[in-house]
Each structure stands twice: as structure tokens, then as C-alpha cells.
Amino acid sequence: MSSTPTTEQVQKALSTVHDPEIRRPITDLGMVKSVDIADDGSVRVGIYLTVAGCPMRGRIEKDVTEAVTKVAGVTSASVELDVMSDEQRKELQTKLRGGQAEKEIPFAKPNSLTKVFAVASGKGGVGKSSVTVNLAAALAAQGHKVGVVDADIYGHSVPRMLGASDFPTKVEDMILPPTAHDIKVISVGMFTQGNQPVVWRGPMLHRALQQFLSDVYWGDLDVLLMDLPPGTGDIAISVAQLLPGAELIVVTTPQQAAAEVAERAGAITAQTHQRVAGVIENMSYYTPPGSDEKVHLFGEGGGQTVADALTKTLGAQIPLLGQVPLDTRLREGGDEGKPLVLTDPEAEASKVISSIAENLVGRPRGLAGMQLGISPTKR
Ligand SMILES: Nc1ncnc2c1ncn2[C@@H]1O[C@H](COP(=O)(O)OP(=O)(O)O)[C@@H](O)[C@H]1O
Ligand SMILES: [Mg+2]
């Protein structure tokens, strides 16, 4: 008759079980919660999963049972699953990163005063970047400290539109963003060779975005705008994970077909639990020189349609923030790196964008309402 197995023997068997995703022994990853060995040789193993509903749970359960059953003297093996606490998960992450704690994203901290807006659209070419840079310029002109992240890997155009031709400087492990028109700008385009198209898959993009947010020295920003790639892809989910407080701005044209795609881009926030700040309709109409007539080149009503549909889907009032008319000078300004809101603040398109900016952010913050990190002294 074989004797009861020892904890050591069981632990040794458990060290042969690898987490299927991390590919390291579960004993190294802090995943073994407990080992109970009864006199009759039955063994109960407690296992911490890294996340609740881990898709690999079945596999881990099976591998652990198999490994433990092989130990001499074990009559039966059972597994009890538990889930790591936030603390344990952080510890694991630090361990996986070779002992280095993750750099913080300042905008994700609960006491951050920076308003973050992610500008999204269903399709490309609707003026997402043009709206982003003009909003940024309007906000800067209104006295806010503004930063822009160009996260549109397929069509990064923000640096050109803002005339930010400099490259970021690296100081130690910090990246200093170039500035144009008082706006700090960082773009995926600054990290790629020449004008090569980038084939970036989800994880790389996530990593790049994380770096833009944690390694770039933004200073004390009032507003951060992010120009997202068109569509409802991975990046929207990355933004939600990295910056849960970011609000989405959806840009669309008046066309109904464009509106439907734009709505899908906004509806993803139902899953990511982000707020939608509102919808901007761009290229709404054209007013020929010397006339007051509004010519609706691209149809009508798309912006309102998206706002209404999102209101229904999300169960919250989503406003149409404004309708920006077509203006050739807006395009020219983009080509020259001089946003129209700065070169001609009186243009109708500029006025619309400036008023959207004001409504989104309000007045520049003074000391009132600011957390100074001190407590009042008692008298
Ligand atoms: N309101 C507008 N009036 C005139 N041209 C515009 C307007 N909005 C965008 N454009 C032009 O349309 C093109 C696409 O705009 P862009 O901002 O690059 O779109 P996206 O970022 O959605 O792909 C650019 O050439 C831009 O200058
Ligand atoms: Mg663009």
C-alpha cells in the first residue's frame, strides 16, 4: 500500500502545469491557492484564475487534475477555481514585466482633471481629422492646454494638418511631443519610417497607444483629443481599457449611408460603457460665394439620425453638437498646417467648431474647483 502523498510531491506535479496563455508554470504565477491532502489520498487543489470567466478554465482544470492524479498515492483529485484579486493580478503583471511596475497613464487616474475625447467615425474621409485639429485649435485659442493623439494608423494626418513637422524628443525614457499652435501633438506617423503604410495588428496598436499615453510627457493638460482610425475596431476597445473616462465624439456626414456606419461606431460604447459626448455632422452644406443659400451637397439629416439612434441604443440623451459646413479654406488650411479656426475665426465653419469646443469643455479652469491636494487648516 502506498502512503499518503506529501504537499511537496503535489506542488512538484503542479509545477508541470503551464498556464495555456502565459505559458509559464502555474506555480510561478501565483495561481495555486491551496493544496489539501486527505488521509485517504484524495487531493483538493485551489486554483486562482487570472480573470473571471477565463476561457482557459476548462483546460487548466483538466491539466491540474491529470498532473495531480499521476502522483503516487493520490486516489482522487479535484479542483476548485477562484479568481485573483486586483492586487494579485497587478503583482502578476509586475512579475511578468520583469519586476518593473507599469507606467501610469496620468489621464486614467481618478483625480485627473484632463477631459479626454476620442473622435471616431464609421468611415474614413468624413472629416474626422479636420474636425479634431480645428477643435484642438479652437480649444487652445480659448485658453485651454490641449494635446492631440493621432491614433489613426491608416491615415495619420494630424501633424500635417497642424503643421507639426518636428519629431518628438526623447529624454531618458520620456517622449516630449512637438508643439504646433500651442497644441502638443503625437502621432503614429512620427514612429514609422517615411510614409510607409503600417500594418499594425491589435496588440501592437494597444501597446503604441499605451505608450503615447504613459511615456509621452504631456504635462498638465485640460483637454486631450484622440483621432481614432475609422470603424469599430480594436482601438476603440483599447481606448476604453486604457482610458475608461474618455468620451466619444462621433463624426458623420449628412448622408444616410454614412450615418448608419457612424451609428455602429458609436454603439460600441454600449459594450465598453463609455460615454458619448455627442455627434458632429461635417460637410453639412455649402454656401456659394455671394449667396445665403445652403446647398445640401451630401443630403440632409445624417447627424440627427445618428444622435437619435444612439440616444435610443444607449438610453442616454446624445446631442447633435453641431453642423459644420463645407468650406474650401478648411481643406486648404489642413493642407497648409493652419487650422481655419485660427486663420479665419469668423468663417461659419470656424464659428460652429468653436461653439462646439466651448460647449464640450466650458471655460478654461481657474483655481476654482481645482483639487490642490491640501486640506484646509482648522482655526
Ligand atoms: N467641412 C469641410 N469643408 C471642406 N473640406 C473638408 C471639410 N471637412 C473635411 N474636408 C476635407 O475632406 C478630406 C477628408 O477629411 P479628413 O479630415 O482627412 O477626414 P478623415 O479624417 O475622416 O478621413 C480632406 O481633404 C479635408 O480637407
Ligand atoms: Mg483622418
Side-chain angles (χ1 to χ4, degrees):
M1 184 193 137
S2 59
S3 57
T4 9
T6 64
T7 311
E8 237 164 50
Q9 287 173 305
V10 175
Q11 286 281 5
K12 198 167 161 219
L14 288 172
S15 71
T16 64
V17 179
H18 285 213
D19 179 275
E21 284 175 314
I22 309 174
R23 292 160 202 269
R24 284 183 35 185
I26 56 169
T27 43
D28 281 3
L29 301 173
M31 290 173 66
V32 178
K33 180 187 180 185
S34 58
V35 174
D36 293 304
I37 305 167
D39 290 341
D40 66 354
S42 63
V43 177
R44 238 176 40 216
V45 181
I47 293 288
Y48 281 124
L49 298 172
T50 49
V51 286
C54 169
M56 297 294 159
R57 56 191 302 160
R59 166 90 181 272
I60 295 172
E61 211 170 345
K62 181 171 153 278
D63 290 355
V64 167
T65 311
E66 266 175 28
V68 173
T69 312
K70 278 190 203 144
V71 177
V74 171
T75 51
S76 72
S78 62
V79 177
E80 263 168 46
L81 297 176
D82 197 351
V83 178
M84 286 187 178
S85 65
D86 285 348
E87 200 118 309
Q88 285 169 312
R89 208 171 303 126
K90 232 177 231 156
E91 225 167 81
L92 173 61
Q93 276 172 357
T94 308
K95 196 170 192 170
L96 294 176
R97 232 178 284 109
Q100 279 187 318
E102 181 155 342
K103 277 219 195 124
E104 278 187 318
I105 295 177
F107 315 115
K109 288 207 250 174
N111 60 349
S112 166
L113 294 171
T114 308
K115 279 201 143 198
V116 183
F117 297 102
V119 187
S121 70
K123 18 180 248 172
V126 300
K128 181 168 46 64
S129 303
S130 306
V131 166
T132 305
V133 299
N134 277 283
L135 263 182
L139 286 163
Q142 286 164 16
H144 297 285
K145 283 175 246 136
V146 185
V148 180
V149 170
D150 179 6
D152 189 345
I153 16 120
Y154 313 110
H156 42 83
S157 51
V158 169
R160 179 177 49 79
M161 287 181 168
L162 280 173
S165 48
D166 293 343
F167 277 85
T169 342
K170 231 179 157 223
V171 177
E172 311 258 304
D173 57 352
M174 200 92 102
I175 301 167
L176 304 184
T179 302
H181 308 290
D182 256 346
I183 301 161
K184 291 182 176 163
V185 194
I186 210 89
S187 167
V188 277
M190 295 170 180
F191 297 86
T192 53
Q193 298 284 317
N195 218 0
Q196 278 176 18
V198 201
V199 188
W200 286 26
R201 288 176 307 111
M204 270 174 81
L205 242 186
H206 184 89
R207 182 72 201 98
L209 196 60
Q210 184 173 42
Q211 212 184 1
F212 289 170
L213 296 169
S214 60
D215 295 3
V216 172
Y217 182 72
W218 292 101
D220 180 23
L221 290 185
D222 296 312
V223 190
L224 181 72
L225 297 175
M226 305 173 82
D227 188 3
L228 302 188
T232 54
D234 296 338
I235 195 92
I237 296 166
S238 289
V239 170
Q241 281 175 351
L242 297 169
L243 297 169
E247 295 178 35
L248 204 72
I249 295 173
V250 180
V251 179
T252 184
T253 64
Q255 220 169 341
Q256 291 303 327
E260 279 163 34
V261 217
E263 186 203 326
R264 257 176 274 151
I268 194 157
T269 58
Q271 284 150 51
T272 57
H273 303 291
Q274 281 177 304
R275 275 192 55 199
V276 178
V279 179
I280 297 178
E281 186 184 88
N282 185 34
M283 310 187 180
S284 291
Y285 56 87
Y286 176 68
T287 303
S291 140
D292 292 334
E293 194 196 353
K294 291 181 176 178
V295 184
H296 297 273
L297 284 177
F298 295 128
E300 272 180 84
Q304 193 61 54
T305 303
V306 177
D308 291 346
L310 287 177
T311 298
K312 218 165 145 195
T313 312
L314 303 175
Q317 194 60 43
I318 308 300
L320 175 60
L321 297 167
Q323 293 172 292
V324 183
L326 280 157
D327 189 326
T328 34
R329 290 169 305 162
L330 194 141
R331 180 186 52 72
E332 287 160 5
D335 293 342
E336 289 162 12
K338 294 176 186 146
L340 184 68
V341 292
L342 300 180
T343 53
D344 187 357
E346 290 309 310
E348 187 58 27
S350 302
K351 286 199 268 186
V352 174
I353 291 173
S354 295
S355 92
I356 295 173
E358 226 171 277
N359 288 337
L360 280 175
V361 181
R363 294 162 179 283
R365 68 179 200 242
L367 280 179
M370 209 166 127
Q371 295 175 16
L372 295 174
I374 49 171
S375 30
T377 46
K378 281 197 190 102
R379 293 179 186 226

PDB file of all heavy atoms in Angstrom, residues 104-140:
ATOM      1  N   GLU A 104       2.241  54.683 -15.257  1.00  0.00           N
ATOM      2  CA  GLU A 104       0.850  55.096 -15.127  1.00  0.00           C
ATOM      3  C   GLU A 104       0.424  55.950 -16.300  1.00  0.00           C
ATOM      4  O   GLU A 104       1.213  56.681 -16.886  1.00  0.00           O
ATOM      5  CB  GLU A 104       0.698  55.929 -13.865  1.00  0.00           C
ATOM      6  CG  GLU A 104       0.562  55.102 -12.628  1.00  0.00           C
ATOM      7  CD  GLU A 104       0.233  55.982 -11.449  1.00  0.00           C
ATOM      8  OE1 GLU A 104       0.835  57.065 -11.349  1.00  0.00           O
ATOM      9  OE2 GLU A 104      -0.619  55.577 -10.649  1.00  0.00           O
ATOM     10  N   ILE A 105      -0.843  55.858 -16.626  1.00  0.00           N
ATOM     11  CA  ILE A 105      -1.422  56.788 -17.581  1.00  0.00           C
ATOM     12  C   ILE A 105      -2.060  57.895 -16.752  1.00  0.00           C
ATOM     13  O   ILE A 105      -3.028  57.649 -16.042  1.00  0.00           O
ATOM     14  CB  ILE A 105      -2.467  56.088 -18.469  1.00  0.00           C
ATOM     15  CG1 ILE A 105      -1.778  55.031 -19.329  1.00  0.00           C
ATOM     16  CG2 ILE A 105      -3.201  57.098 -19.331  1.00  0.00           C
ATOM     17  CD1 ILE A 105      -2.707  54.232 -20.194  1.00  0.00           C
ATOM     18  N   PRO A 106      -1.483  59.105 -16.815  1.00  0.00           N
ATOM     19  CA  PRO A 106      -1.973  60.147 -15.893  1.00  0.00           C
ATOM     20  C   PRO A 106      -3.466  60.436 -16.080  1.00  0.00           C
ATOM     21  O   PRO A 106      -4.165  60.732 -15.119  1.00  0.00           O
ATOM     22  CB  PRO A 106      -1.121  61.373 -16.245  1.00  0.00           C
ATOM     23  CG  PRO A 106      -0.496  61.061 -17.568  1.00  0.00           C
ATOM     24  CD  PRO A 106      -0.389  59.580 -17.667  1.00  0.00           C
ATOM     25  N   PHE A 107      -3.944  60.319 -17.323  1.00  0.00           N
ATOM     26  CA  PHE A 107      -5.349  60.658 -17.601  1.00  0.00           C
ATOM     27  C   PHE A 107      -6.320  59.607 -17.084  1.00  0.00           C
ATOM     28  O   PHE A 107      -7.521  59.811 -17.089  1.00  0.00           O
ATOM     29  CB  PHE A 107      -5.569  60.851 -19.099  1.00  0.00           C
ATOM     30  CG  PHE A 107      -4.499  61.669 -19.748  1.00  0.00           C
ATOM     31  CD1 PHE A 107      -3.661  61.116 -20.706  1.00  0.00           C
ATOM     32  CD2 PHE A 107      -4.312  62.993 -19.389  1.00  0.00           C
ATOM     33  CE1 PHE A 107      -2.654  61.865 -21.284  1.00  0.00           C
ATOM     34  CE2 PHE A 107      -3.314  63.748 -19.956  1.00  0.00           C
ATOM     35  CZ  PHE A 107      -2.477  63.192 -20.917  1.00  0.00           C
ATOM     36  N   ALA A 108      -5.774  58.449 -16.711  1.00  0.00           N
ATOM     37  CA  ALA A 108      -6.661  57.387 -16.243  1.00  0.00           C
ATOM     38  C   ALA A 108      -6.813  57.419 -14.731  1.00  0.00           C
ATOM     39  O   ALA A 108      -7.594  56.672 -14.171  1.00  0.00           O
ATOM     40  CB  ALA A 108      -6.134  56.029 -16.695  1.00  0.00           C
ATOM     41  N   LYS A 109      -6.028  58.283 -14.090  1.00  0.00           N
ATOM     42  CA  LYS A 109      -6.123  58.343 -12.630  1.00  0.00           C
ATOM     43  C   LYS A 109      -7.440  59.010 -12.235  1.00  0.00           C
ATOM     44  O   LYS A 109      -7.905  59.935 -12.896  1.00  0.00           O
ATOM     45  CB  LYS A 109      -4.947  59.156 -12.061  1.00  0.00           C
ATOM     46  CG  LYS A 109      -3.650  58.379 -12.174  1.00  0.00           C
ATOM     47  CD  LYS A 109      -2.676  58.823 -11.102  1.00  0.00           C
ATOM     48  CE  LYS A 109      -1.533  59.580 -11.708  1.00  0.00           C
ATOM     49  NZ  LYS A 109      -0.609  60.161 -10.765  1.00  0.00           N
ATOM     50  N   PRO A 110      -8.022  58.551 -11.134  1.00  0.00           N
ATOM     51  CA  PRO A 110      -9.342  59.036 -10.753  1.00  0.00           C
ATOM     52  C   PRO A 110      -9.390  60.544 -10.496  1.00  0.00           C
ATOM     53  O   PRO A 110     -10.423  61.172 -10.696  1.00  0.00           O
ATOM     54  CB  PRO A 110      -9.679  58.261  -9.472  1.00  0.00           C
ATOM     55  CG  PRO A 110      -8.530  57.359  -9.192  1.00  0.00           C
ATOM     56  CD  PRO A 110      -7.520  57.487 -10.257  1.00  0.00           C
ATOM     57  N   ASN A 111      -8.256  61.126 -10.080  1.00  0.00           N
ATOM     58  CA  ASN A 111      -8.299  62.563  -9.785  1.00  0.00           C
ATOM     59  C   ASN A 111      -7.807  63.414 -10.948  1.00  0.00           C
ATOM     60  O   ASN A 111      -7.567  64.599 -10.799  1.00  0.00           O
ATOM     61  CB  ASN A 111      -7.490  62.864  -8.522  1.00  0.00           C
ATOM     62  CG  ASN A 111      -6.039  62.454  -8.694  1.00  0.00           C
ATOM     63  OD1 ASN A 111      -5.695  61.773  -9.667  1.00  0.00           O
ATOM     64  ND2 ASN A 111      -5.177  62.865  -7.783  1.00  0.00           N
ATOM     65  N   SER A 112      -7.673  62.793 -12.143  1.00  0.00           N
ATOM     66  CA  SER A 112      -7.212  63.547 -13.303  1.00  0.00           C
ATOM     67  C   SER A 112      -8.225  64.625 -13.674  1.00  0.00           C
ATOM     68  O   SER A 112      -9.425  64.395 -13.668  1.00  0.00           O
ATOM     69  CB  SER A 112      -7.018  62.607 -14.493  1.00  0.00           C
ATOM     70  OG  SER A 112      -6.884  63.362 -15.681  1.00  0.00           O
ATOM     71  N   LEU A 113      -7.718  65.807 -13.996  1.00  0.00           N
ATOM     72  CA  LEU A 113      -8.616  66.904 -14.369  1.00  0.00           C
ATOM     73  C   LEU A 113      -8.695  67.058 -15.885  1.00  0.00           C
ATOM     74  O   LEU A 113      -9.337  67.958 -16.389  1.00  0.00           O
ATOM     75  CB  LEU A 113      -8.104  68.211 -13.746  1.00  0.00           C
ATOM     76  CG  LEU A 113      -8.147  68.256 -12.212  1.00  0.00           C
ATOM     77  CD1 LEU A 113      -7.424  69.480 -11.693  1.00  0.00           C
ATOM     78  CD2 LEU A 113      -9.585  68.238 -11.718  1.00  0.00           C
ATOM     79  N   THR A 114      -7.994  66.195 -16.607  1.00  0.00           N
ATOM     80  CA  THR A 114      -7.975  66.294 -18.066  1.00  0.00           C
ATOM     81  C   THR A 114      -9.209  65.638 -18.668  1.00  0.00           C
ATOM     82  O   THR A 114      -9.516  64.492 -18.359  1.00  0.00           O
ATOM     83  CB  THR A 114      -6.719  65.607 -18.626  1.00  0.00           C
ATOM     84  OG1 THR A 114      -5.577  66.113 -17.952  1.00  0.00           O
ATOM     85  CG2 THR A 114      -6.596  65.854 -20.125  1.00  0.00           C
ATOM     86  N   LYS A 115      -9.896  66.405 -19.505  1.00  0.00           N
ATOM     87  CA  LYS A 115     -11.022  65.811 -20.220  1.00  0.00           C
ATOM     88  C   LYS A 115     -10.490  65.117 -21.471  1.00  0.00           C
ATOM     89  O   LYS A 115      -9.725  65.716 -22.220  1.00  0.00           O
ATOM     90  CB  LYS A 115     -12.004  66.907 -20.654  1.00  0.00           C
ATOM     91  CG  LYS A 115     -12.942  67.339 -19.548  1.00  0.00           C
ATOM     92  CD  LYS A 115     -14.172  67.992 -20.132  1.00  0.00           C
ATOM     93  CE  LYS A 115     -15.399  67.625 -19.325  1.00  0.00           C
ATOM     94  NZ  LYS A 115     -16.643  67.857 -20.040  1.00  0.00           N
ATOM     95  N   VAL A 116     -10.891  63.882 -21.670  1.00  0.00           N
ATOM     96  CA  VAL A 116     -10.391  63.152 -22.828  1.00  0.00           C
ATOM     97  C   VAL A 116     -11.542  62.856 -23.777  1.00  0.00           C
ATOM     98  O   VAL A 116     -12.580  62.331 -23.366  1.00  0.00           O
ATOM     99  CB  VAL A 116      -9.714  61.826 -22.418  1.00  0.00           C
ATOM    100  CG1 VAL A 116      -9.132  61.130 -23.638  1.00  0.00           C
ATOM    101  CG2 VAL A 116      -8.636  62.071 -21.377  1.00  0.00           C
ATOM    102  N   PHE A 117     -11.346  63.223 -25.037  1.00  0.00           N
ATOM    103  CA  PHE A 117     -12.343  62.925 -26.058  1.00  0.00           C
ATOM    104  C   PHE A 117     -11.719  62.088 -27.161  1.00  0.00           C
ATOM    105  O   PHE A 117     -10.663  62.436 -27.686  1.00  0.00           O
ATOM    106  CB  PHE A 117     -12.903  64.212 -26.675  1.00  0.00           C
ATOM    107  CG  PHE A 117     -13.638  65.074 -25.700  1.00  0.00           C
ATOM    108  CD1 PHE A 117     -13.039  66.199 -25.155  1.00  0.00           C
ATOM    109  CD2 PHE A 117     -14.939  64.763 -25.309  1.00  0.00           C
ATOM    110  CE1 PHE A 117     -13.706  67.004 -24.242  1.00  0.00           C
ATOM    111  CE2 PHE A 117     -15.624  65.553 -24.396  1.00  0.00           C
ATOM    112  CZ  PHE A 117     -15.006  66.679 -23.866  1.00  0.00           C
ATOM    113  N   ALA A 118     -12.352  60.988 -27.490  1.00  0.00           N
ATOM    114  CA  ALA A 118     -11.904  60.166 -28.602  1.00  0.00           C
ATOM    115  C   ALA A 118     -12.822  60.445 -29.784  1.00  0.00           C
ATOM    116  O   ALA A 118     -14.040  60.298 -29.676  1.00  0.00           O
ATOM    117  CB  ALA A 118     -11.964  58.693 -28.211  1.00  0.00           C
ATOM    118  N   VAL A 119     -12.225  60.898 -30.883  1.00  0.00           N
ATOM    119  CA  VAL A 119     -13.031  61.255 -32.049  1.00  0.00           C
ATOM    120  C   VAL A 119     -13.088  60.059 -32.995  1.00  0.00           C
ATOM    121  O   VAL A 119     -12.060  59.571 -33.455  1.00  0.00           O
ATOM    122  CB  VAL A 119     -12.457  62.495 -32.767  1.00  0.00           C
ATOM    123  CG1 VAL A 119     -13.397  62.951 -33.878  1.00  0.00           C
ATOM    124  CG2 VAL A 119     -12.219  63.629 -31.777  1.00  0.00           C
ATOM    125  N   ALA A 120     -14.299  59.602 -33.258  1.00  0.00           N
ATOM    126  CA  ALA A 120     -14.471  58.383 -34.041  1.00  0.00           C
ATOM    127  C   ALA A 120     -15.383  58.639 -35.233  1.00  0.00           C
ATOM    128  O   ALA A 120     -16.127  59.611 -35.266  1.00  0.00           O
ATOM    129  CB  ALA A 120     -15.086  57.291 -33.162  1.00  0.00           C
ATOM    130  N   SER A 121     -15.300  57.759 -36.218  1.00  0.00           N
ATOM    131  CA  SER A 121     -16.222  57.823 -37.344  1.00  0.00           C
ATOM    132  C   SER A 121     -16.405  56.418 -37.873  1.00  0.00           C
ATOM    133  O   SER A 121     -15.582  55.545 -37.613  1.00  0.00           O
ATOM    134  CB  SER A 121     -15.680  58.729 -38.454  1.00  0.00           C
ATOM    135  OG  SER A 121     -14.568  58.114 -39.078  1.00  0.00           O
ATOM    136  N   GLY A 122     -17.487  56.206 -38.592  1.00  0.00           N
ATOM    137  CA  GLY A 122     -17.694  54.891 -39.178  1.00  0.00           C
ATOM    138  C   GLY A 122     -16.735  54.656 -40.321  1.00  0.00           C
ATOM    139  O   GLY A 122     -16.072  53.635 -40.415  1.00  0.00           O
ATOM    140  N   LYS A 123     -16.653  55.665 -41.224  1.00  0.00           N
ATOM    141  CA  LYS A 123     -15.757  55.504 -42.360  1.00  0.00           C
ATOM    142  C   LYS A 123     -14.754  56.643 -42.434  1.00  0.00           C
ATOM    143  O   LYS A 123     -14.898  57.653 -41.741  1.00  0.00           O
ATOM    144  CB  LYS A 123     -16.521  55.407 -43.682  1.00  0.00           C
ATOM    145  CG  LYS A 123     -17.962  55.899 -43.683  1.00  0.00           C
ATOM    146  CD  LYS A 123     -18.569  55.728 -45.047  1.00  0.00           C
ATOM    147  CE  LYS A 123     -18.832  57.091 -45.672  1.00  0.00           C
ATOM    148  NZ  LYS A 123     -19.257  57.040 -47.058  1.00  0.00           N
ATOM    149  N   GLY A 124     -13.764  56.461 -43.280  1.00  0.00           N
ATOM    150  CA  GLY A 124     -12.768  57.495 -43.476  1.00  0.00           C
ATOM    151  C   GLY A 124     -13.302  58.576 -44.412  1.00  0.00           C
ATOM    152  O   GLY A 124     -14.306  58.389 -45.091  1.00  0.00           O
ATOM    153  N   GLY A 125     -12.634  59.700 -44.414  1.00  0.00           N
ATOM    154  CA  GLY A 125     -12.980  60.748 -45.366  1.00  0.00           C
ATOM    155  C   GLY A 125     -14.157  61.621 -44.975  1.00  0.00           C
ATOM    156  O   GLY A 125     -14.601  62.461 -45.747  1.00  0.00           O
ATOM    157  N   VAL A 126     -14.683  61.439 -43.775  1.00  0.00           N
ATOM    158  CA  VAL A 126     -15.825  62.262 -43.352  1.00  0.00           C
ATOM    159  C   VAL A 126     -15.368  63.554 -42.677  1.00  0.00           C
ATOM    160  O   VAL A 126     -16.184  64.407 -42.344  1.00  0.00           O
ATOM    161  CB  VAL A 126     -16.771  61.488 -42.398  1.00  0.00           C
ATOM    162  CG1 VAL A 126     -17.322  60.254 -43.083  1.00  0.00           C
ATOM    163  CG2 VAL A 126     -16.078  61.109 -41.095  1.00  0.00           C
ATOM    164  N   GLY A 127     -14.057  63.688 -42.489  1.00  0.00           N
ATOM    165  CA  GLY A 127     -13.533  64.914 -41.891  1.00  0.00           C
ATOM    166  C   GLY A 127     -13.214  64.772 -40.411  1.00  0.00           C
ATOM    167  O   GLY A 127     -13.130  65.760 -39.691  1.00  0.00           O
ATOM    168  N   LYS A 128     -12.989  63.553 -39.979  1.00  0.00           N
ATOM    169  CA  LYS A 128     -12.693  63.298 -38.564  1.00  0.00           C
ATOM    170  C   LYS A 128     -11.442  64.057 -38.125  1.00  0.00           C
ATOM    171  O   LYS A 128     -11.454  64.739 -37.110  1.00  0.00           O
ATOM    172  CB  LYS A 128     -12.514  61.797 -38.365  1.00  0.00           C
ATOM    173  CG  LYS A 128     -12.224  61.371 -36.959  1.00  0.00           C
ATOM    174  CD  LYS A 128     -12.346  59.867 -36.813  1.00  0.00           C
ATOM    175  CE  LYS A 128     -11.647  59.109 -37.914  1.00  0.00           C
ATOM    176  NZ  LYS A 128     -10.180  59.323 -37.899  1.00  0.00           N
ATOM    177  N   SER A 129     -10.387  63.949 -38.936  1.00  0.00           N
ATOM    178  CA  SER A 129      -9.135  64.612 -38.553  1.00  0.00           C
ATOM    179  C   SER A 129      -9.260  66.126 -38.661  1.00  0.00           C
ATOM    180  O   SER A 129      -8.761  66.854 -37.799  1.00  0.00           O
ATOM    181  CB  SER A 129      -7.991  64.124 -39.441  1.00  0.00           C
ATOM    182  OG  SER A 129      -7.882  62.730 -39.356  1.00  0.00           O
ATOM    183  N   SER A 130      -9.937  66.595 -39.697  1.00  0.00           N
ATOM    184  CA  SER A 130     -10.126  68.046 -39.852  1.00  0.00           C
ATOM    185  C   SER A 130     -10.877  68.604 -38.653  1.00  0.00           C
ATOM    186  O   SER A 130     -10.523  69.664 -38.116  1.00  0.00           O
ATOM    187  CB  SER A 130     -10.923  68.363 -41.120  1.00  0.00           C
ATOM    188  OG  SER A 130     -10.323  67.764 -42.237  1.00  0.00           O
ATOM    189  N   VAL A 131     -11.905  67.901 -38.238  1.00  0.00           N
ATOM    190  CA  VAL A 131     -12.680  68.350 -37.082  1.00  0.00           C
ATOM    191  C   VAL A 131     -11.820  68.306 -35.816  1.00  0.00           C
ATOM    192  O   VAL A 131     -11.817  69.244 -35.014  1.00  0.00           O
ATOM    193  CB  VAL A 131     -13.954  67.481 -36.913  1.00  0.00           C
ATOM    194  CG1 VAL A 131     -14.596  67.693 -35.558  1.00  0.00           C
ATOM    195  CG2 VAL A 131     -14.952  67.795 -38.026  1.00  0.00           C
ATOM    196  N   THR A 132     -11.037  67.230 -35.670  1.00  0.00           N
ATOM    197  CA  THR A 132     -10.191  67.088 -34.475  1.00  0.00           C
ATOM    198  C   THR A 132      -9.199  68.244 -34.353  1.00  0.00           C
ATOM    199  O   THR A 132      -9.091  68.858 -33.290  1.00  0.00           O
ATOM    200  CB  THR A 132      -9.409  65.749 -34.519  1.00  0.00           C
ATOM    201  OG1 THR A 132     -10.338  64.688 -34.691  1.00  0.00           O
ATOM    202  CG2 THR A 132      -8.617  65.521 -33.237  1.00  0.00           C
ATOM    203  N   VAL A 133      -8.477  68.542 -35.448  1.00  0.00           N
ATOM    204  CA  VAL A 133      -7.447  69.589 -35.333  1.00  0.00           C
ATOM    205  C   VAL A 133      -8.085  70.971 -35.146  1.00  0.00           C
ATOM    206  O   VAL A 133      -7.556  71.802 -34.405  1.00  0.00           O
ATOM    207  CB  VAL A 133      -6.471  69.623 -36.535  1.00  0.00           C
ATOM    208  CG1 VAL A 133      -5.723  68.314 -36.662  1.00  0.00           C
ATOM    209  CG2 VAL A 133      -7.159  69.953 -37.836  1.00  0.00           C
ATOM    210  N   ASN A 134      -9.220  71.205 -35.782  1.00  0.00           N
ATOM    211  CA  ASN A 134      -9.859  72.510 -35.594  1.00  0.00           C
ATOM    212  C   ASN A 134     -10.469  72.647 -34.208  1.00  0.00           C
ATOM    213  O   ASN A 134     -10.445  73.729 -33.609  1.00  0.00           O
ATOM    214  CB  ASN A 134     -10.895  72.763 -36.687  1.00  0.00           C
ATOM    215  CG  ASN A 134     -10.261  73.300 -37.956  1.00  0.00           C
ATOM    216  OD1 ASN A 134      -9.916  74.478 -38.033  1.00  0.00           O
ATOM    217  ND2 ASN A 134     -10.062  72.436 -38.939  1.00  0.00           N
ATOM    218  N   LEU A 135     -10.983  71.546 -33.668  1.00  0.00           N
ATOM    219  CA  LEU A 135     -11.464  71.564 -32.280  1.00  0.00           C
ATOM    220  C   LEU A 135     -10.300  71.850 -31.344  1.00  0.00           C
ATOM    221  O   LEU A 135     -10.413  72.664 -30.423  1.00  0.00           O
ATOM    222  CB  LEU A 135     -12.052  70.200 -31.909  1.00  0.00           C
ATOM    223  CG  LEU A 135     -13.559  69.982 -31.986  1.00  0.00           C
ATOM    224  CD1 LEU A 135     -13.894  68.570 -31.526  1.00  0.00           C
ATOM    225  CD2 LEU A 135     -14.303  71.016 -31.152  1.00  0.00           C
ATOM    226  N   ALA A 136      -9.174  71.174 -31.603  1.00  0.00           N
ATOM    227  CA  ALA A 136      -7.985  71.369 -30.763  1.00  0.00           C
ATOM    228  C   ALA A 136      -7.539  72.825 -30.819  1.00  0.00           C
ATOM    229  O   ALA A 136      -7.258  73.448 -29.782  1.00  0.00           O
ATOM    230  CB  ALA A 136      -6.857  70.446 -31.220  1.00  0.00           C
ATOM    231  N   ALA A 137      -7.492  73.383 -32.032  1.00  0.00           N
ATOM    232  CA  ALA A 137      -7.051  74.769 -32.196  1.00  0.00           C
ATOM    233  C   ALA A 137      -8.028  75.728 -31.526  1.00  0.00           C
ATOM    234  O   ALA A 137      -7.627  76.701 -30.880  1.00  0.00           O
ATOM    235  CB  ALA A 137      -6.901  75.103 -33.680  1.00  0.00           C
ATOM    236  N   ALA A 138      -9.316  75.447 -31.646  1.00  0.00           N
ATOM    237  CA  ALA A 138     -10.324  76.305 -31.017  1.00  0.00           C
ATOM    238  C   ALA A 138     -10.173  76.267 -29.500  1.00  0.00           C
ATOM    239  O   ALA A 138     -10.203  77.301 -28.828  1.00  0.00           O
ATOM    240  CB  ALA A 138     -11.732  75.856 -31.431  1.00  0.00           C
ATOM    241  N   LEU A 139      -9.964  75.077 -28.962  1.00  0.00           N
ATOM    242  CA  LEU A 139      -9.810  74.934 -27.512  1.00  0.00           C
ATOM    243  C   LEU A 139      -8.555  75.664 -27.023  1.00  0.00           C
ATOM    244  O   LEU A 139      -8.571  76.330 -25.993  1.00  0.00           O
ATOM    245  CB  LEU A 139      -9.739  73.452 -27.132  1.00  0.00           C
ATOM    246  CG  LEU A 139     -11.069  72.693 -27.210  1.00  0.00           C
ATOM    247  CD1 LEU A 139     -10.839  71.184 -27.235  1.00  0.00           C
ATOM    248  CD2 LEU A 139     -11.971  73.078 -26.044  1.00  0.00           C
ATOM    249  N   ALA A 140      -7.457  75.531 -27.802  1.00  0.00           N
ATOM    250  CA  ALA A 140      -6.217  76.217 -27.424  1.00  0.00           C
ATOM    251  C   ALA A 140      -6.429  77.730 -27.465  1.00  0.00           C
ATOM    252  O   ALA A 140      -5.986  78.451 -26.570  1.00  0.00           O
ATOM    253  CB  ALA A 140      -5.083  75.799 -28.349  1.00  0.00           C
TER     254      ALA A 140
END
